[in-house]
Short mmCIF file of all heavy atoms in Angstrom, two decimals:
data_model
loop_
_atom_site.label_atom_id
_atom_site.label_comp_id
_atom_site.label_asym_id
_atom_site.label_seq_id
_atom_site.Cartn_x
_atom_site.Cartn_y
_atom_site.Cartn_z
N MET A 1 -10.54 1.14 -5.81
CA MET A 1 -12.01 1.07 -5.85
C MET A 1 -12.44 0.56 -7.22
O MET A 1 -11.97 1.02 -8.25
CB MET A 1 -12.59 2.47 -5.59
CG MET A 1 -14.10 2.54 -5.79
SD MET A 1 -14.75 4.21 -5.50
CE MET A 1 -15.21 4.11 -3.77
N SER A 2 -13.33 -0.42 -7.22
CA SER A 2 -13.82 -0.96 -8.49
C SER A 2 -14.99 -0.11 -9.00
O SER A 2 -15.45 0.80 -8.33
CB SER A 2 -14.25 -2.40 -8.31
OG SER A 2 -15.24 -2.49 -7.32
N GLN A 3 -15.44 -0.44 -10.16
CA GLN A 3 -16.53 0.32 -10.78
C GLN A 3 -17.81 0.19 -9.96
O GLN A 3 -18.23 -0.93 -9.64
CB GLN A 3 -16.75 -0.21 -12.20
CG GLN A 3 -17.86 0.51 -12.94
CD GLN A 3 -17.90 0.13 -14.41
OE1 GLN A 3 -16.95 -0.39 -14.96
NE2 GLN A 3 -19.02 0.39 -15.04
N PRO A 4 -18.44 1.32 -9.59
CA PRO A 4 -19.70 1.24 -8.86
C PRO A 4 -20.79 0.61 -9.72
O PRO A 4 -20.72 0.65 -10.95
CB PRO A 4 -20.04 2.71 -8.57
CG PRO A 4 -18.85 3.50 -8.91
CD PRO A 4 -18.03 2.70 -9.86
N LYS A 5 -21.77 0.04 -9.06
CA LYS A 5 -22.89 -0.57 -9.78
C LYS A 5 -24.19 0.08 -9.33
O LYS A 5 -24.35 0.45 -8.17
CB LYS A 5 -22.95 -2.06 -9.47
CG LYS A 5 -21.84 -2.86 -10.11
CD LYS A 5 -22.08 -4.36 -9.96
CE LYS A 5 -21.05 -5.16 -10.74
NZ LYS A 5 -19.67 -4.80 -10.32
N ILE A 6 -25.12 0.17 -10.26
CA ILE A 6 -26.43 0.74 -9.95
C ILE A 6 -27.50 -0.32 -10.18
O ILE A 6 -27.53 -0.94 -11.24
CB ILE A 6 -26.70 1.99 -10.79
CG1 ILE A 6 -25.72 3.08 -10.37
CG2 ILE A 6 -28.14 2.46 -10.62
CD1 ILE A 6 -25.72 4.31 -11.21
N ASN A 7 -28.31 -0.50 -9.18
CA ASN A 7 -29.44 -1.43 -9.30
C ASN A 7 -30.58 -0.69 -10.02
O ASN A 7 -31.22 0.19 -9.43
CB ASN A 7 -29.87 -1.90 -7.91
CG ASN A 7 -30.98 -2.92 -7.98
OD1 ASN A 7 -31.68 -3.05 -8.98
ND2 ASN A 7 -31.16 -3.67 -6.90
N LEU A 8 -30.81 -1.05 -11.26
CA LEU A 8 -31.81 -0.34 -12.07
C LEU A 8 -33.23 -0.66 -11.61
O LEU A 8 -34.18 0.05 -11.94
CB LEU A 8 -31.63 -0.69 -13.55
CG LEU A 8 -30.28 -0.26 -14.14
CD1 LEU A 8 -30.18 -0.67 -15.61
CD2 LEU A 8 -30.05 1.24 -14.01
N GLU A 9 -33.39 -1.72 -10.85
CA GLU A 9 -34.71 -2.05 -10.30
C GLU A 9 -35.12 -1.04 -9.23
O GLU A 9 -36.30 -0.71 -9.11
CB GLU A 9 -34.67 -3.44 -9.63
CG GLU A 9 -34.12 -4.54 -10.51
CD GLU A 9 -35.24 -5.30 -11.20
OE1 GLU A 9 -36.17 -5.74 -10.49
OE2 GLU A 9 -35.18 -5.44 -12.43
N THR A 10 -34.13 -0.57 -8.48
CA THR A 10 -34.47 0.30 -7.36
C THR A 10 -34.15 1.78 -7.61
O THR A 10 -34.63 2.64 -6.89
CB THR A 10 -33.75 -0.17 -6.07
OG1 THR A 10 -32.35 -0.28 -6.35
CG2 THR A 10 -34.27 -1.51 -5.61
N CYS A 11 -33.34 2.07 -8.62
CA CYS A 11 -33.05 3.48 -8.94
C CYS A 11 -34.34 4.18 -9.35
O CYS A 11 -35.08 3.70 -10.20
CB CYS A 11 -32.03 3.56 -10.09
SG CYS A 11 -31.79 5.25 -10.71
N ILE A 12 -34.60 5.33 -8.72
CA ILE A 12 -35.82 6.08 -9.05
C ILE A 12 -35.51 7.33 -9.88
O ILE A 12 -36.37 8.17 -10.10
CB ILE A 12 -36.59 6.49 -7.76
CG1 ILE A 12 -35.68 7.30 -6.81
CG2 ILE A 12 -37.16 5.26 -7.05
CD1 ILE A 12 -36.43 7.96 -5.65
N GLY A 13 -34.26 7.46 -10.31
CA GLY A 13 -33.90 8.56 -11.21
C GLY A 13 -33.95 9.93 -10.58
O GLY A 13 -34.23 10.92 -11.25
N CYS A 14 -33.62 10.02 -9.30
CA CYS A 14 -33.71 11.31 -8.61
C CYS A 14 -32.60 12.28 -9.01
O CYS A 14 -32.71 13.48 -8.84
CB CYS A 14 -33.67 11.09 -7.10
SG CYS A 14 -32.06 10.53 -6.50
N GLY A 15 -31.49 11.74 -9.53
CA GLY A 15 -30.41 12.60 -10.01
C GLY A 15 -29.39 13.01 -8.96
O GLY A 15 -28.45 13.75 -9.26
N THR A 16 -29.56 12.54 -7.74
CA THR A 16 -28.64 12.93 -6.67
C THR A 16 -27.21 12.48 -6.97
O THR A 16 -26.26 13.25 -6.78
CB THR A 16 -29.10 12.33 -5.32
OG1 THR A 16 -30.42 12.79 -5.06
CG2 THR A 16 -28.17 12.73 -4.19
N CYS A 17 -27.05 11.27 -7.45
CA CYS A 17 -25.69 10.76 -7.71
C CYS A 17 -25.00 11.59 -8.79
O CYS A 17 -23.82 11.94 -8.65
CB CYS A 17 -25.72 9.29 -8.10
SG CYS A 17 -26.84 8.89 -9.46
N GLU A 18 -25.73 11.95 -9.82
CA GLU A 18 -25.14 12.78 -10.88
C GLU A 18 -24.79 14.17 -10.35
O GLU A 18 -23.75 14.72 -10.71
CB GLU A 18 -26.11 12.88 -12.06
CG GLU A 18 -25.49 13.59 -13.26
CD GLU A 18 -26.45 13.76 -14.42
OE1 GLU A 18 -27.64 14.04 -14.18
OE2 GLU A 18 -26.01 13.59 -15.56
N ALA A 19 -25.65 14.71 -9.51
CA ALA A 19 -25.38 16.03 -8.95
C ALA A 19 -24.12 16.01 -8.09
O ALA A 19 -23.33 16.95 -8.10
CB ALA A 19 -26.58 16.51 -8.13
N LEU A 20 -23.91 14.92 -7.36
CA LEU A 20 -22.76 14.82 -6.47
C LEU A 20 -21.48 14.46 -7.21
O LEU A 20 -20.40 14.90 -6.83
CB LEU A 20 -23.03 13.78 -5.38
CG LEU A 20 -24.05 14.17 -4.31
CD1 LEU A 20 -24.40 12.96 -3.46
CD2 LEU A 20 -23.51 15.30 -3.43
N CYS A 21 -21.58 13.65 -8.24
CA CYS A 21 -20.38 13.20 -8.96
C CYS A 21 -20.69 12.96 -10.44
O CYS A 21 -20.78 11.81 -10.88
CB CYS A 21 -19.83 11.94 -8.30
SG CYS A 21 -18.21 11.47 -8.95
N PRO A 22 -20.81 14.05 -11.20
CA PRO A 22 -21.16 13.92 -12.62
C PRO A 22 -20.06 13.27 -13.46
O PRO A 22 -20.29 12.87 -14.59
CB PRO A 22 -21.39 15.38 -13.06
CG PRO A 22 -20.66 16.21 -12.07
CD PRO A 22 -20.70 15.45 -10.76
N GLU A 23 -18.85 13.17 -12.87
CA GLU A 23 -17.75 12.50 -13.58
C GLU A 23 -17.98 11.00 -13.69
O GLU A 23 -17.38 10.33 -14.53
CB GLU A 23 -16.42 12.74 -12.85
CG GLU A 23 -16.00 14.21 -12.75
CD GLU A 23 -16.57 14.91 -11.52
OE1 GLU A 23 -17.44 14.33 -10.82
OE2 GLU A 23 -16.16 16.07 -11.27
N VAL A 24 -18.83 10.48 -12.81
CA VAL A 24 -19.03 9.02 -12.74
C VAL A 24 -20.48 8.61 -13.03
O VAL A 24 -20.71 7.57 -13.65
CB VAL A 24 -18.59 8.50 -11.34
CG1 VAL A 24 -18.99 7.04 -11.14
CG2 VAL A 24 -17.09 8.68 -11.15
N PHE A 25 -21.43 9.41 -12.61
CA PHE A 25 -22.85 9.02 -12.74
C PHE A 25 -23.56 9.90 -13.76
O PHE A 25 -23.38 11.11 -13.79
CB PHE A 25 -23.56 9.12 -11.39
CG PHE A 25 -22.95 8.26 -10.33
CD1 PHE A 25 -22.16 8.82 -9.33
CD2 PHE A 25 -23.14 6.88 -10.33
CE1 PHE A 25 -21.57 8.02 -8.35
CE2 PHE A 25 -22.56 6.08 -9.35
CZ PHE A 25 -21.78 6.66 -8.36
N LYS A 26 -24.39 9.26 -14.57
CA LYS A 26 -25.12 10.00 -15.61
C LYS A 26 -26.54 9.47 -15.70
O LYS A 26 -26.77 8.26 -15.81
CB LYS A 26 -24.40 9.79 -16.94
CG LYS A 26 -25.09 10.39 -18.14
CD LYS A 26 -24.42 11.69 -18.54
CE LYS A 26 -25.19 12.39 -19.66
NZ LYS A 26 -26.08 13.44 -19.14
N LEU A 27 -27.48 10.41 -15.63
CA LEU A 27 -28.89 10.04 -15.78
C LEU A 27 -29.23 9.97 -17.27
O LEU A 27 -28.91 10.87 -18.02
CB LEU A 27 -29.75 11.11 -15.11
CG LEU A 27 -30.94 10.63 -14.28
CD1 LEU A 27 -30.48 9.73 -13.15
CD2 LEU A 27 -31.69 11.81 -13.71
N LYS A 28 -29.84 8.89 -17.68
CA LYS A 28 -30.22 8.76 -19.09
C LYS A 28 -31.70 9.05 -19.28
O LYS A 28 -32.43 9.30 -18.33
CB LYS A 28 -29.85 7.37 -19.61
CG LYS A 28 -28.34 7.21 -19.75
CD LYS A 28 -28.00 6.02 -20.63
CE LYS A 28 -26.49 5.83 -20.71
NZ LYS A 28 -26.15 4.54 -21.32
N GLU A 29 -32.10 9.01 -20.56
CA GLU A 29 -33.49 9.40 -20.92
C GLU A 29 -34.52 8.51 -20.24
O GLU A 29 -35.66 8.91 -20.05
CB GLU A 29 -33.71 9.33 -22.44
CG GLU A 29 -32.72 10.11 -23.28
CD GLU A 29 -31.41 9.36 -23.46
OE1 GLU A 29 -31.45 8.23 -23.97
OE2 GLU A 29 -30.35 9.88 -23.06
N ASP A 30 -34.12 7.29 -19.91
CA ASP A 30 -35.06 6.39 -19.23
C ASP A 30 -35.18 6.70 -17.74
O ASP A 30 -35.84 5.97 -17.00
CB ASP A 30 -34.66 4.92 -19.45
CG ASP A 30 -33.28 4.59 -18.88
OD1 ASP A 30 -32.61 5.50 -18.34
OD2 ASP A 30 -32.86 3.43 -18.99
N MET A 31 -34.52 7.81 -17.31
CA MET A 31 -34.55 8.23 -15.92
C MET A 31 -33.98 7.18 -14.97
O MET A 31 -34.45 6.99 -13.85
CB MET A 31 -35.98 8.63 -15.48
CG MET A 31 -36.52 9.84 -16.22
SD MET A 31 -35.41 11.28 -16.16
CE MET A 31 -35.67 11.83 -14.47
N LYS A 32 -32.93 6.53 -15.46
CA LYS A 32 -32.14 5.65 -14.60
C LYS A 32 -30.71 6.18 -14.64
O LYS A 32 -30.28 6.75 -15.65
CB LYS A 32 -32.15 4.21 -15.13
CG LYS A 32 -33.53 3.56 -15.14
CD LYS A 32 -34.01 3.23 -13.76
CE LYS A 32 -35.41 2.60 -13.78
NZ LYS A 32 -35.91 2.36 -12.42
N ALA A 33 -29.99 5.97 -13.56
CA ALA A 33 -28.60 6.42 -13.50
C ALA A 33 -27.69 5.32 -14.03
O ALA A 33 -27.94 4.13 -13.81
CB ALA A 33 -28.24 6.77 -12.07
N TYR A 34 -26.66 5.73 -14.75
CA TYR A 34 -25.66 4.80 -15.28
C TYR A 34 -24.27 5.24 -14.85
O TYR A 34 -24.03 6.42 -14.63
CB TYR A 34 -25.74 4.74 -16.81
CG TYR A 34 -27.00 4.06 -17.27
CD1 TYR A 34 -28.18 4.78 -17.41
CD2 TYR A 34 -27.01 2.69 -17.52
CE1 TYR A 34 -29.36 4.15 -17.80
CE2 TYR A 34 -28.19 2.05 -17.90
CZ TYR A 34 -29.35 2.79 -18.04
OH TYR A 34 -30.52 2.16 -18.42
N VAL A 35 -23.38 4.27 -14.76
CA VAL A 35 -21.99 4.56 -14.41
C VAL A 35 -21.22 4.76 -15.71
O VAL A 35 -21.29 3.93 -16.62
CB VAL A 35 -21.39 3.41 -13.58
CG1 VAL A 35 -19.90 3.61 -13.37
CG2 VAL A 35 -22.12 3.29 -12.25
N ILE A 36 -20.53 5.87 -15.81
CA ILE A 36 -19.73 6.17 -16.99
C ILE A 36 -18.52 5.22 -17.01
O ILE A 36 -17.83 5.05 -16.00
CB ILE A 36 -19.28 7.65 -16.98
CG1 ILE A 36 -20.51 8.56 -16.99
CG2 ILE A 36 -18.36 7.94 -18.16
CD1 ILE A 36 -20.21 10.02 -16.71
N GLU A 37 -18.31 4.59 -18.17
CA GLU A 37 -17.22 3.61 -18.31
C GLU A 37 -15.87 4.30 -18.48
O GLU A 37 -15.80 5.44 -18.92
CB GLU A 37 -17.46 2.75 -19.57
CG GLU A 37 -18.81 2.04 -19.63
CD GLU A 37 -18.82 0.74 -18.85
OE1 GLU A 37 -17.74 0.16 -18.64
OE2 GLU A 37 -19.90 0.33 -18.42
N GLY A 38 -14.84 3.58 -18.14
CA GLY A 38 -13.48 4.03 -18.43
C GLY A 38 -12.97 5.16 -17.56
O GLY A 38 -12.01 5.83 -17.92
N VAL A 39 -13.63 5.38 -16.43
CA VAL A 39 -13.19 6.42 -15.50
C VAL A 39 -12.25 5.79 -14.49
O VAL A 39 -12.41 4.61 -14.14
CB VAL A 39 -14.42 7.04 -14.79
CG1 VAL A 39 -14.01 8.01 -13.70
CG2 VAL A 39 -15.35 7.71 -15.79
N ASN A 40 -11.24 6.54 -14.04
CA ASN A 40 -10.44 6.06 -12.91
C ASN A 40 -11.21 6.37 -11.63
O ASN A 40 -11.16 7.47 -11.11
CB ASN A 40 -9.07 6.73 -12.90
CG ASN A 40 -8.18 6.17 -11.80
OD1 ASN A 40 -8.58 5.27 -11.06
ND2 ASN A 40 -6.99 6.70 -11.67
N TYR A 41 -11.94 5.37 -11.16
CA TYR A 41 -12.87 5.59 -10.05
C TYR A 41 -12.15 5.98 -8.77
O TYR A 41 -12.73 6.63 -7.91
CB TYR A 41 -13.76 4.35 -9.86
CG TYR A 41 -14.50 4.01 -11.12
CD1 TYR A 41 -14.12 2.93 -11.90
CD2 TYR A 41 -15.55 4.81 -11.56
CE1 TYR A 41 -14.78 2.64 -13.09
CE2 TYR A 41 -16.21 4.53 -12.75
CZ TYR A 41 -15.81 3.44 -13.51
OH TYR A 41 -16.45 3.17 -14.69
N GLU A 42 -10.88 5.59 -8.67
CA GLU A 42 -10.08 5.98 -7.49
C GLU A 42 -10.05 7.49 -7.31
O GLU A 42 -10.06 8.00 -6.20
CB GLU A 42 -8.63 5.49 -7.65
CG GLU A 42 -8.45 4.00 -7.79
CD GLU A 42 -8.61 3.27 -6.47
OE1 GLU A 42 -8.50 3.92 -5.42
OE2 GLU A 42 -8.85 2.05 -6.50
N ASP A 43 -10.02 8.19 -8.44
CA ASP A 43 -9.92 9.66 -8.40
C ASP A 43 -11.14 10.30 -7.76
O ASP A 43 -11.08 11.45 -7.33
CB ASP A 43 -9.76 10.23 -9.82
CG ASP A 43 -8.41 9.89 -10.43
OD1 ASP A 43 -7.54 9.39 -9.70
OD2 ASP A 43 -8.25 10.12 -11.65
N TYR A 44 -12.25 9.59 -7.75
CA TYR A 44 -13.51 10.18 -7.27
C TYR A 44 -14.08 9.43 -6.08
O TYR A 44 -15.27 9.52 -5.79
CB TYR A 44 -14.53 10.20 -8.42
CG TYR A 44 -14.01 10.94 -9.62
CD1 TYR A 44 -13.58 10.25 -10.75
CD2 TYR A 44 -13.91 12.33 -9.61
CE1 TYR A 44 -13.08 10.93 -11.86
CE2 TYR A 44 -13.41 13.02 -10.70
CZ TYR A 44 -12.99 12.32 -11.82
OH TYR A 44 -12.49 12.98 -12.90
N GLN A 45 -13.20 8.70 -5.40
CA GLN A 45 -13.62 7.82 -4.32
C GLN A 45 -14.54 8.50 -3.30
O GLN A 45 -15.58 7.96 -2.95
CB GLN A 45 -12.37 7.31 -3.60
CG GLN A 45 -12.59 6.01 -2.88
CD GLN A 45 -11.27 5.31 -2.58
OE1 GLN A 45 -10.24 5.66 -3.15
NE2 GLN A 45 -11.31 4.34 -1.70
N GLU A 46 -14.16 9.72 -2.87
CA GLU A 46 -14.94 10.39 -1.83
C GLU A 46 -16.32 10.79 -2.34
O GLU A 46 -17.32 10.65 -1.65
CB GLU A 46 -14.20 11.64 -1.32
CG GLU A 46 -13.34 11.34 -0.11
CD GLU A 46 -12.58 12.56 0.36
OE1 GLU A 46 -13.17 13.65 0.41
OE2 GLU A 46 -11.38 12.42 0.66
N LYS A 47 -16.34 11.30 -3.57
CA LYS A 47 -17.63 11.74 -4.15
C LYS A 47 -18.52 10.53 -4.43
O LYS A 47 -19.74 10.60 -4.26
CB LYS A 47 -17.38 12.54 -5.43
CG LYS A 47 -16.81 13.92 -5.13
CD LYS A 47 -16.23 14.58 -6.37
CE LYS A 47 -17.30 15.28 -7.19
NZ LYS A 47 -16.72 16.01 -8.35
N ILE A 48 -17.92 9.43 -4.85
CA ILE A 48 -18.70 8.21 -5.08
C ILE A 48 -19.31 7.74 -3.76
O ILE A 48 -20.48 7.38 -3.67
CB ILE A 48 -17.82 7.11 -5.71
CG1 ILE A 48 -17.44 7.50 -7.14
CG2 ILE A 48 -18.54 5.76 -5.69
CD1 ILE A 48 -16.39 6.61 -7.79
N GLN A 49 -18.50 7.77 -2.71
CA GLN A 49 -18.97 7.35 -1.39
C GLN A 49 -20.13 8.24 -0.93
O GLN A 49 -21.12 7.75 -0.36
CB GLN A 49 -17.82 7.39 -0.39
CG GLN A 49 -18.06 6.58 0.88
CD GLN A 49 -18.50 5.14 0.60
OE1 GLN A 49 -17.92 4.46 -0.23
NE2 GLN A 49 -19.54 4.67 1.29
N GLN A 50 -20.02 9.54 -1.21
CA GLN A 50 -21.10 10.47 -0.87
C GLN A 50 -22.37 10.10 -1.62
O GLN A 50 -23.47 10.14 -1.06
CB GLN A 50 -20.70 11.89 -1.30
CG GLN A 50 -20.09 12.72 -0.20
CD GLN A 50 -19.96 14.16 -0.65
OE1 GLN A 50 -19.47 14.44 -1.75
NE2 GLN A 50 -20.40 15.09 0.18
N ALA A 51 -22.22 9.75 -2.89
CA ALA A 51 -23.38 9.36 -3.70
C ALA A 51 -24.02 8.09 -3.15
O ALA A 51 -25.25 8.00 -3.04
CB ALA A 51 -22.97 9.17 -5.15
N VAL A 52 -23.17 7.13 -2.78
CA VAL A 52 -23.67 5.88 -2.20
C VAL A 52 -24.52 6.19 -0.96
O VAL A 52 -25.64 5.67 -0.81
CB VAL A 52 -22.51 4.94 -1.82
CG1 VAL A 52 -22.99 3.78 -0.96
CG2 VAL A 52 -21.81 4.43 -3.08
N GLU A 53 -23.99 7.07 -0.11
CA GLU A 53 -24.69 7.37 1.14
C GLU A 53 -25.92 8.23 0.92
O GLU A 53 -26.84 8.22 1.73
CB GLU A 53 -23.71 8.06 2.11
CG GLU A 53 -22.71 7.07 2.69
CD GLU A 53 -21.50 7.76 3.33
OE1 GLU A 53 -21.61 8.95 3.68
OE2 GLU A 53 -20.45 7.10 3.47
N SER A 54 -25.95 8.99 -0.17
CA SER A 54 -27.06 9.93 -0.41
C SER A 54 -28.17 9.34 -1.26
O SER A 54 -29.25 9.93 -1.34
CB SER A 54 -26.53 11.18 -1.08
OG SER A 54 -25.50 11.77 -0.30
N CYS A 55 -27.92 8.22 -1.89
CA CYS A 55 -28.95 7.63 -2.75
C CYS A 55 -30.15 7.21 -1.88
O CYS A 55 -29.99 6.44 -0.95
CB CYS A 55 -28.40 6.41 -3.49
SG CYS A 55 -29.67 5.52 -4.41
N PRO A 56 -31.34 7.74 -2.20
CA PRO A 56 -32.50 7.48 -1.32
C PRO A 56 -32.94 6.01 -1.32
O PRO A 56 -33.65 5.60 -0.40
CB PRO A 56 -33.59 8.39 -1.91
CG PRO A 56 -33.17 8.64 -3.31
CD PRO A 56 -31.67 8.63 -3.31
N THR A 57 -32.56 5.25 -2.31
CA THR A 57 -33.00 3.85 -2.37
C THR A 57 -31.83 2.87 -2.23
O THR A 57 -31.99 1.67 -2.49
CB THR A 57 -33.75 3.56 -3.68
OG1 THR A 57 -32.86 3.76 -4.78
CG2 THR A 57 -34.95 4.47 -3.85
N GLN A 58 -30.68 3.38 -1.84
CA GLN A 58 -29.47 2.53 -1.71
C GLN A 58 -29.21 1.70 -2.97
O GLN A 58 -28.85 0.52 -2.89
CB GLN A 58 -29.59 1.59 -0.50
CG GLN A 58 -29.34 2.25 0.85
CD GLN A 58 -30.65 2.72 1.47
OE1 GLN A 58 -31.59 1.96 1.59
NE2 GLN A 58 -30.71 3.98 1.88
N ALA A 59 -29.41 2.34 -4.13
CA ALA A 59 -29.27 1.61 -5.39
C ALA A 59 -27.82 1.49 -5.85
O ALA A 59 -27.52 0.72 -6.76
CB ALA A 59 -30.09 2.32 -6.47
N ILE A 60 -26.92 2.25 -5.23
CA ILE A 60 -25.51 2.23 -5.68
C ILE A 60 -24.68 1.37 -4.73
O ILE A 60 -24.74 1.53 -3.52
CB ILE A 60 -24.91 3.65 -5.69
CG1 ILE A 60 -25.82 4.63 -6.42
CG2 ILE A 60 -23.52 3.63 -6.33
CD1 ILE A 60 -25.42 6.09 -6.24
N THR A 61 -23.92 0.47 -5.32
CA THR A 61 -22.99 -0.33 -4.52
C THR A 61 -21.59 -0.21 -5.10
O THR A 61 -21.43 -0.02 -6.30
CB THR A 61 -23.40 -1.81 -4.49
OG1 THR A 61 -23.66 -2.25 -5.82
CG2 THR A 61 -24.65 -2.04 -3.64
N VAL A 62 -20.61 -0.32 -4.24
CA VAL A 62 -19.20 -0.26 -4.69
C VAL A 62 -18.45 -1.49 -4.21
O VAL A 62 -18.83 -2.14 -3.25
CB VAL A 62 -18.48 1.01 -4.18
CG1 VAL A 62 -18.97 2.22 -4.91
CG2 VAL A 62 -18.63 1.19 -2.69
FE1 SF4 B 1 -30.86 6.45 -8.90
FE2 SF4 B 1 -29.83 6.55 -6.46
FE3 SF4 B 1 -28.71 7.94 -8.44
FE4 SF4 B 1 -31.08 8.68 -7.43
S1 SF4 B 1 -29.10 8.69 -6.34
S2 SF4 B 1 -30.54 8.56 -9.61
S3 SF4 B 1 -32.01 6.68 -7.00
S4 SF4 B 1 -28.85 5.69 -8.27
#
């Protein structure tokens, strides 16, 4: 699995992705979600997939 991407245009900063997988997603002060660099994304594949499916604006792609 490659690094997930977040569309900052559509992210509304709801925090769902961080709640589901804080090892990979982090909400910053600008209330946008960012993908933490240097993570072995394979290790969190299922949680990342859950975040993708739970994002209310479909802002996360893998
Ligand atoms: Fe943004 Fe989607 Fe994460 Fe919510 S779940 S913070 S809208 S990327």
Side-chain angles (χ1 to χ4, degrees):
M1 172 181 267
S2 58
Q3 180 171 341
K5 288 190 173 56
I6 293 172
N7 183 341
L8 298 179
E9 307 264 309
T10 53
C11 172
I12 56 169
C14 69
T16 302
C17 53
E18 187 182 39
L20 288 169
C21 190
E23 298 88 351
V24 171
F25 301 104
K26 175 102 186 98
L27 222 60
K28 289 197 183 168
E29 306 80 58
D30 61 359
M31 295 307 285
K32 297 288 179 184
Y34 290 86
V35 173
I36 299 169
E37 305 277 337
V39 173
N40 184 1
Y41 304 105
E42 300 284 341
D43 291 350
Y44 303 105
Q45 204 161 345
E46 267 178 44
K47 288 165 84 176
I48 291 170
Q49 198 52 45
Q50 265 190 311
V52 168
E53 286 164 21
S54 303
C55 173
T57 63
Q58 283 93 52
I60 310 169
T61 49
V62 287

